[in-house]
Amino acid sequence: MNLEQLQSFVEVARTGHFTRAAALLHLAQPSLSRQISTLESDLGAELFHRARGNITLTDAGESLLPLAKRMLADAETVRHEMQELAGLKMGRVRIGATPTLCVSLVPDVLTSFHAAYPGIALHLTEQGSRGLLDELAGGSLDLALIVTSEDRTAPTASLQRTALLTEELVVVASANNPHLAGRTSLTLAELAELPQITYHQSYDLREVTMQAFHAAGLAPNVVLEGSEMDAVLRCVERGLGVAVVPAMVMLDRPRLCSVRLTDPGLSRTISLAHRNDVSLTRAAQAMQQLIARTATVLSSADAATGGLVTRAP
């Protein structure tokens, strides 16, 4: 069994087609078929049900697929580690982050990292925390910036999570919104009466706020739901409604104003996760250190965050 055979197996499984997989791998179809047959012979099990126009995985194939993906990802990591022997002039970092962090913390981190290490390729994946942890466990990411509504940083399985920041959730509106004029805070009951924009169901932020309303026996006045972060902020700027966002989203947004949410106040923990069964590459270690330094700066910059972002305990 070799990596080329595993790559061929994964590509056939992904496309469900030998001819299409062979073209993507730049192989002749007979060569691809021989690789799969040799792999099946070595493993002593058939990996595909072969029917005309319908290629599906057997039980053995289903078991092998996640293992093969992980082995290929680990092999790619080794390749990049060898490149880094030249001294952080080559290599890559694959980082994942939630949508809210991609419009606040992440751009500053990536800009600073690229300025310091211009030869390192950066790959960013944007999705919810649960999806990021799945990709991290599968070897598709080196680091993941995730969020939780409470501090749950103990390692689970092969993943290590380190809490960085605790961030309050605030209510935002357009700068000239009359509902927030002169206010410094709102209760959850007062928020429920205002026209509100909510997020797509994949957002952890939506789940946290809706759970708070449900626990208080309140029904929010939703005027638009199912939006992504950028769309939510644009609609808020134009006065369609208010929204609940993490405090850091407010940085450098003069067209928005914000007030604290009380009774109850809501917050979340920002953590950095990585696999603890695989050593981080030198480039990923440099990224990890930069993220930690950036978190320290943000937590101490009261003028910028108004004390709404603090170091996690």
Side-chain angles (χ1 to χ4, degrees):
M1 181 172 60
N2 57 48
L3 294 175
E4 189 176 1
Q5 292 168 346
L6 291 176
Q7 183 64 62
S8 296
F9 163 70
V10 169
E11 198 62 36
V12 173
R14 188 183 71 82
T15 61
H17 203 281
F18 274 80
T19 302
R20 195 173 303 131
L24 291 170
L25 293 168
H26 305 290
L27 293 173
Q29 183 174 337
S31 296
L32 176 63
S33 297
R34 279 195 300 271
Q35 286 187 2
I36 299 299
S37 295
T38 301
L39 181 59
E40 290 176 324
S41 178
D42 288 344
L43 296 176
E46 289 191 357
L47 301 174
F48 295 103
H49 295 296
R50 295 166 173 83
R52 190 178 215 43
N54 185 24
I55 305 296
T56 58
L57 289 168
T58 63
D59 290 344
E62 292 282 2
S63 297
L64 177 61
L65 185 58
L67 297 174
K69 288 181 176 179
R70 183 164 172 173
M71 291 170 70
L72 291 169
D74 288 345
E76 186 68 12
T77 296
V78 170
R79 186 176 295 112
H80 282 276
E81 284 182 335
M82 295 303 100
Q83 292 175 341
E84 288 178 337
L85 292 176
L88 286 180
K89 294 181 180 179
M90 301 175 64
R92 68 166 182 189
V93 178
R94 303 166 301 171
I95 185 169
T98 63
T100 53
L101 292 174
C102 283
V103 298
S104 55
L105 175 66
V106 170
D108 287 343
V109 168
L110 296 185
T111 300
S112 298
F113 188 90
H114 180 68
Y117 310 107
I120 303 297
L122 296 173
H123 298 264
L124 176 63
T125 297
E126 179 181 350
Q127 61 173 297
S129 296
R130 284 164 287 188
L132 291 174
L133 290 175
D134 288 342
E135 292 210 25
L136 192 63
S140 300
L141 295 174
D142 301 308
L143 299 165
L145 278 163
I146 61 170
V147 296
T148 55
S149 56
E150 58 186 34
D151 187 1
R152 294 177 294 191
T153 58
T156 58
S158 63
L159 300 182
Q160 175 69 45
R161 290 187 282 181
T162 303
L164 299 175
L165 297 168
T166 298
E167 180 180 26
E168 280 192 40
L169 304 184
V170 298
V171 182
V172 295
S174 61
N176 58 0
N177 188 299
H179 297 296
L180 270 61
R183 301 292 300 266
T184 58
S185 66
L186 285 175
T187 66
L188 197 65
E190 290 172 325
L191 173 61
E193 297 178 358
L194 300 179
Q196 189 175 157
I197 304 168
T198 64
Y199 302 92
H200 189 272
Q201 291 183 350
S202 63
Y203 278 56
D204 298 322
L205 189 56
R206 174 192 171 106
E207 182 179 351
V208 169
T209 54
M210 289 305 172
Q211 283 179 351
F213 282 123
H214 179 73
L218 298 169
N221 175 22
V222 176
V223 296
L224 176 66
E225 63 178 329
S227 302
E228 302 288 345
M229 175 57 68
D230 285 340
V232 167
L233 295 175
R234 288 183 180 276
C235 289
V236 169
E237 286 178 348
R238 285 159 176 73
L240 180 61
V242 303
V244 176
V245 303
M248 280 193 293
V249 170
M250 284 298 296
L251 295 175
D252 300 321
R253 294 189 183 274
R255 297 177 63 183
L256 295 175
C257 64
S258 68
V259 299
R260 301 181 93 151
L261 184 60
T262 63
D263 191 28
L266 300 177
S267 65
R268 66 179 192 170
T269 297
I270 299 170
S271 299
L272 183 62
H274 65 88
R275 282 172 56 181
N276 56 22
D277 61 340
V278 175
S279 297
L280 289 174
T281 65
R282 290 181 61 203
Q285 290 175 25
M287 176 66 79
Q288 183 184 43
Q289 293 163 6
L290 176 60
I291 290 172
R293 289 197 301 271
T294 304
T296 299
V297 170
L298 282 171
S299 64
S300 61
D302 288 338
T305 62
L308 298 174
V309 181
T310 58
R311 286 292 290 180

